[in-house]
Amino acid sequence: MFIRRTKKIDPSSKQEYYSYQLVESFRTEKGPRQRILLTLGNSLEHLSPNELKDLANRIEEIVRGGQSFFSYSNEVERLAQTFAKLLIRQQTKDSARHTDDKYYEDENSDYATVDLNSLSNEDCRTLGSENILYKSFCELGLPNKLRSLGLTEEQVHVAAANIIARAVFPASELATHHWLIHNSAIDELMKTNFSKLTLYKLYQSSDNLLEHKKSIEKHLSEVSKKMFNLEEKIILYDITNTYFEGLANGNKKAKYGRSKEKRSDCPLVAMGLVLDSDGFPKISEIFEGNVVETNTFQTIVQKLDKCNDLFKPIVVMDAGIASDTNVNWLRDNKYPYIVVHKKKTQIMPQDVPHTLVKEDEGKRVWIAKKENSETKEQFLYCQSEARGRREKRIKSKREEMLEAELQKLDNGLSKKTNTIKKYDKVLEKIGRLKEKYKKSASYYNIEVEHSKETNLATKIKWYKNETQAAKKLTGVYCLRTPIANLSEKELWTIYMMLSELEDTFRCMKSEIGLRPVFHQKENRVDGHIFITLLAYHLTHVIKRKLEDKGIHLRWENLRTEMSRQVRITTSVKNHENELIRIRNTSKADIFHKEVYNALGMPYNPLKAVRIKDNL
């Protein structure tokens, strides 16, 4: 085995460079021949001829499992380990090509006498999570859809890997590239090889998917509707935002605004998302980070109209988007809706009966329904025990913080240290505290005593108006809807589906890597968000199937457990001192089998492959 150095010329720049290949010589009936085992690229120019010879020898020692009797430099050892691993994986692919495509264990016995002390394991890669996601990717018909959009087979594989990686290992494209090459067996599932995958191809994959965003979203909507027999009588709409790492100067949508992750110090970009009542994404849109939520609604619903032949589902949205303008637009366009009334409501009307719509102890909800004579809308006044307790906990915490600040300010009046004592400065400080704790401060009467001679404050007193505070903590909110043929419980149940949208945003942000965004260019940012949405779609298909079988898990927990099933190469020497390598999948445990049974999948996604030593 030796390394061949070949001079080449770059056709575009006309510059000379050297390419390196790992080559072996072998004998045939027609005489000695040579074959290329591995292309090593053009990055070995820093090695001397002797180091190249050492590198070839060390690669051969690693692949054959022989013992090294010589010491090599750190650089030669590092390169040898890298190239030997690539060569072994290449042998795995060559052996797998000669096996049957069916996934079953080989029934033919293959006995050998081996040295157990020589047994070792290498190239361990995760497989379980990738397996169920790739099955979901195929069931949704995405491979054929992407091919129909003009993507090559290689581009389809890279797109699948990019989406699946976002669900299994949420990270930047740079980290994803490393993970695909060194940590995942997804390429074995797809019968391809990512050992030479370039970072550019991942970026290109993002561009390809974003270019066909509208077509892909429509395809997924139609397929998931047929797969789960979805009725799509209800749509949920909300908007969220995510922040950037960096200045994002190359993105005109990156704006400073109110961050829902408390990262208003970073540029933001917003995403509006429409879901059906089963939690499947229908359509999405990317907006500027400082966009007013109420201004996004008509844009995205009009896009939904064009994609769905003007069907009129019930539109559900929260108070942040349910402006009078949007509600009037819904009414004018004959959309049924259920939205939160923006007017603050603290008390239940007593002139209409109260209906109990939720009976869980400690979480009961009552509703009083009244009709608005002008708009003919139904107003649902909802009183929630859980919401009332939550409001009281928040209020209590804020009150404690306000009182602690006041006490600290009062204690400073009697200290000789450098604290605020001047009367006007104390009033100024109290004014800032009232602004900081605006709601809680409205329940307090705060008085400041002072000396007219010295103009120094001497005492701060505060009194809480308990009656006024109690009136504002009833846990009451109001819904408005033009729908008159549904009961209070049915209307309230439909509105509570908004929690599904909140779970979607939480999943995408915390479990599938929507935040933060590391890209700077607008198209790459949009591509990052779209890939995250596609990854969520795959996970939601899996979770929906598992829920139908009684298995309720967060994706983060499911991913962690499934990643324990791995693909690994075991090496051992036989009695003739020949090295035997077998590439196999770890056995599915009880949890894996439960998931695979629910999804209708075999326990072993890839059969064992014996790697033949062709050297």
Side-chain angles (χ1 to χ4, degrees), residues 64-127:
R64 292 190 182 279
Q67 185 177 356
S68 177
F69 296 99
F70 304 97
S71 61
Y72 299 96
S73 67
N74 292 336
E75 178 66 5
V76 168
E77 182 66 27
R78 182 186 67 82
L79 291 171
Q81 293 289 345
T82 300
F83 293 138
K85 184 182 294 185
L86 290 175
L87 184 55
I88 293 170
R89 281 182 62 79
Q90 183 61 48
Q91 292 174 343
T92 305
K93 304 300 179 186
D94 293 339
S95 298
R97 289 192 187 101
H98 301 290
T99 61
D100 198 302
D101 287 338
K102 296 180 181 178
Y103 297 153
Y104 61 87
E105 294 186 3
D106 193 351
E107 297 178 355
N108 298 323
S109 300
D110 186 6
Y111 295 100
T113 303
V114 299
D115 178 9
L116 294 180
N117 291 328
S118 69
L119 189 145
S120 64
N121 295 311
E122 58 187 319
D123 200 16
C124 181
R125 294 167 178 261
T126 58
L127 180 68

Side-chain angles (χ1 to χ4, degrees), residues 195-413:
S195 60
K196 297 181 181 179
L197 177 68
T198 63
L199 183 60
Y200 170 75
K201 288 183 179 178
L202 278 184
Y203 287 126
Q204 186 184 50
S205 169
S206 173
D207 297 339
N208 291 337
L209 291 171
L210 184 63
E211 181 183 355
H212 303 289
K213 176 178 179 291
K214 182 177 179 181
S215 179
I216 294 173
E217 283 185 335
K218 184 177 181 181
H219 170 81
L220 289 175
S221 176
E222 293 172 351
V223 173
S224 57
K225 179 180 179 180
K226 293 177 182 178
M227 185 182 295
F228 296 101
N229 196 25
L230 307 178
E231 295 185 350
E232 296 185 333
K233 293 182 178 179
I234 302 167
I235 63 168
L236 316 172
Y237 177 68
D238 204 352
I239 189 168
T240 189
N241 55 36
T242 185
Y243 62 92
F244 290 84
E245 291 289 353
L247 298 177
N249 291 328
N251 188 349
K252 64 182 181 181
K253 293 178 184 173
K255 304 289 184 181
Y256 288 94
R258 178 180 172 274
S259 170
K260 297 187 177 182
E261 288 84 41
K262 311 300 181 184
R263 290 302 307 269
S264 298
D265 59 314
C266 300
L268 308 173
V269 68
M271 177 181 70
L273 181 62
V274 174
L275 296 182
D276 62 23
S277 58
D278 293 275
F280 286 94
K282 306 297 298 177
I283 196 170
S284 64
E285 184 74 16
I286 311 300
F287 299 101
E288 294 180 350
N290 62 352
V291 69
V292 179
E293 292 185 345
T294 54
N295 295 344
T296 67
F297 174 72
Q298 295 181 27
T299 300
I300 201 163
V301 174
Q302 286 171 348
K303 287 184 65 175
L304 187 66
D305 271 350
K306 296 177 182 178
C307 295
N308 294 276
D309 300 325
L310 297 176
F311 74 92
K312 302 293 184 184
I314 299 174
V315 177
V316 185
M317 53 187 178
D318 216 335
I321 306 172
S323 64
D324 289 338
T325 301
N326 286 337
V327 172
N328 292 335
W329 184 88
L330 286 171
R331 189 185 301 116
D332 294 341
N333 287 273
K334 297 181 172 51
Y335 271 97
Y337 56 85
I338 303 175
V339 301
V340 175
H341 189 25
K342 285 203 169 216
K343 183 180 179 181
K344 299 294 183 182
T345 307
Q346 284 83 36
I347 57 174
M348 295 280 283
Q350 300 302 316
D351 55 342
V352 293
H354 296 184
T355 304
L356 183 64
V357 297
K358 186 175 182 179
E359 302 182 16
D360 295 350
E361 188 65 32
K363 297 181 179 180
R364 290 170 296 202
V365 177
W366 291 269
I367 290 182
K369 183 167 71 171
K370 294 186 71 174
E371 182 175 304
N372 185 302
S373 58
E374 295 181 3
T375 63
K376 303 301 180 182
E377 289 178 301
Q378 305 296 320
F379 279 60
L380 305 174
Y381 296 86
C382 310
Q383 185 170 30
S384 167
E385 287 183 338
R387 184 185 178 110
R389 287 194 300 272
R390 184 168 65 252
E391 289 177 352
K392 289 178 181 178
R393 285 196 301 269
I394 295 173
K395 176 194 74 78
S396 178
K397 182 65 176 178
R398 301 288 287 178
E399 286 177 358
E400 289 176 5
M401 295 169 69
L402 173 61
E403 291 185 8
E405 294 267 20
L406 292 172
Q407 189 64 57
K408 181 180 178 181
L409 188 61
D410 182 56
N411 293 340
L413 300 179

